[in-house]
């Protein structure tokens, strides 16, 4: 497989300092994922974050706003990151696929609570943000479909779409994986399984 072209590597920007709002949102996401959306109150979130009610509402209008704030940026980041990785390999479908898999596995291992939230709570959102997330997801899937149909010309786009969704099922299994296997080994196993599922080798 062709290695990633070093010319396309860029120095990542310095990480943005986490705000108090980011910290509260992370706590809320963890509680939602562990107990379910209806099993968590604003008081629970405030207590876990060490924030009083008025201060909590200064950051978020309510639980629904937290759910929107957690899920939309994630979908936007996945699409942006997927497009970036495909663009790195304009004529190398296998390298593009490997880069996409690396990208999504890293995301899935770093964000199991967000994945659980998406799997179980997306339908809690109002129609407009839910439609926005679905649209972003479809666009992300199409990045994978485009690479797969280049790599495997025998596939119809609809067939490639089936494989892409199956791959997401594999990679997004991280909320259900215990800590028995070291993180790096988990990443390797997920990458290998996903590549095999998509290419057959």
């Amino acid at each position: 497989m062709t290695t990633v072209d070093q010319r396309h590597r860029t120095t990542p920007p310095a990480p943005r300092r986490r705000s108090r709002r980011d910290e509260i949102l992370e706590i809320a996401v963890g509680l939602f994922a562990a107990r379910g959306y209806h099993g968590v109150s604003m008081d629970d979130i405030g207590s876990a974050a060490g924030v009083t009610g008025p201060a909590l509402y200064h950051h978020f209008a309510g639980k629904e706003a937290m759910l929107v704030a957690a899920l939309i940026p994630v979908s936007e980041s996945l699409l942006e990151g997927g497009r970036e990785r495909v663009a790195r390999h304009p004529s190398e479908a296998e390298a593009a696929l490997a880069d996409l898999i690396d990208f999504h596995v890293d995301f899935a291992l770093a964000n199991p609570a967000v994945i659980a939230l998406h799997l179980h709570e997306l339908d809690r959102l109002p129609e407009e943000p839910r439609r926005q997330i679905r649209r972003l997801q479809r666009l992300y899937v199409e990045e994978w479909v485009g690479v797969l149909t280049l790599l495997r010309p025998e596939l119809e786009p609809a067939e490639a779409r089936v494989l892409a969704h199956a791959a997401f099922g594999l990679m997004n299994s991280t909320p259900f994986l215990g800590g028995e296997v070291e993180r790096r080994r988990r990443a390797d196993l997920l990458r290998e399984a996903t590549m095999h599922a998509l290419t057959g080798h």
Side-chain angles (χ1 to χ4, degrees):
M1 183 179 69
T2 306
T3 57
V4 175
D5 190 335
Q6 294 296 320
R7 293 172 299 175
H8 292 289
R9 291 190 181 276
T10 58
T11 302
R16 180 177 65 89
R17 185 182 178 192
R18 280 162 49 86
S19 67
R20 186 62 174 134
R21 183 180 187 276
D22 293 333
E23 294 170 353
I24 293 168
L25 185 60
E26 181 178 340
I27 289 167
V29 167
L31 290 172
F32 292 155
R35 304 184 196 172
Y37 181 77
H38 285 308
V40 178
S41 68
M42 288 292 280
D43 286 342
D44 293 331
I45 296 165
S47 177
V51 177
T52 60
L56 189 60
Y57 283 99
H58 172 74
H59 294 287
F60 296 98
K63 292 197 303 177
E64 189 177 272
M66 291 181 175
L67 205 53
V68 171
L71 295 180
I72 287 183
V74 165
S75 298
E76 291 172 337
S77 295
L78 283 173
L79 177 57
E80 180 182 354
R83 284 175 169 169
E84 177 187 333
R85 281 150 182 78
V86 171
R88 290 176 182 174
H89 314 281
S91 58
E92 298 179 334
E94 188 173 356
L97 180 61
D99 211 353
L100 278 173
I101 292 172
D102 285 347
F103 167 64
H104 197 98
V105 166
D106 287 345
F107 160 77
L109 285 170
N111 298 280
V114 172
I115 291 174
L117 197 62
H118 179 273
L119 290 174
H120 301 298
E121 308 294 352
L122 181 60
D123 289 341
R124 311 284 186 195
L125 291 178
E127 181 180 358
E128 183 50 40
R130 188 170 66 247
R131 286 176 58 189
Q132 183 180 352
I133 290 170
R134 295 292 192 198
R135 177 179 173 276
L136 292 166
Q137 290 173 333
R138 286 194 298 271
L139 292 171
Y140 181 54
V141 169
E142 291 311 302
E143 293 296 321
W144 290 71
V145 169
V147 170
L148 284 170
T149 52
L150 282 176
L151 184 63
R152 299 182 56 183
E154 78 277 9
L155 292 175
E156 294 291 331
E159 295 171 325
R161 213 165 281 120
V162 170
L163 289 176
H165 282 290
F168 296 145
L170 273 170
M171 295 182 288
N172 291 345
S173 62
T174 54
F176 314 106
L177 303 179
E180 298 89 353
V181 177
E182 187 265 332
R183 188 185 191 280
R184 184 176 299 178
R185 179 57 177 158
R186 269 181 285 159
D188 289 342
L189 290 170
L190 287 171
R191 289 187 187 103
E192 291 167 11
T194 304
M195 182 63 79
H196 183 75
L198 293 174
T199 65
H201 60 78

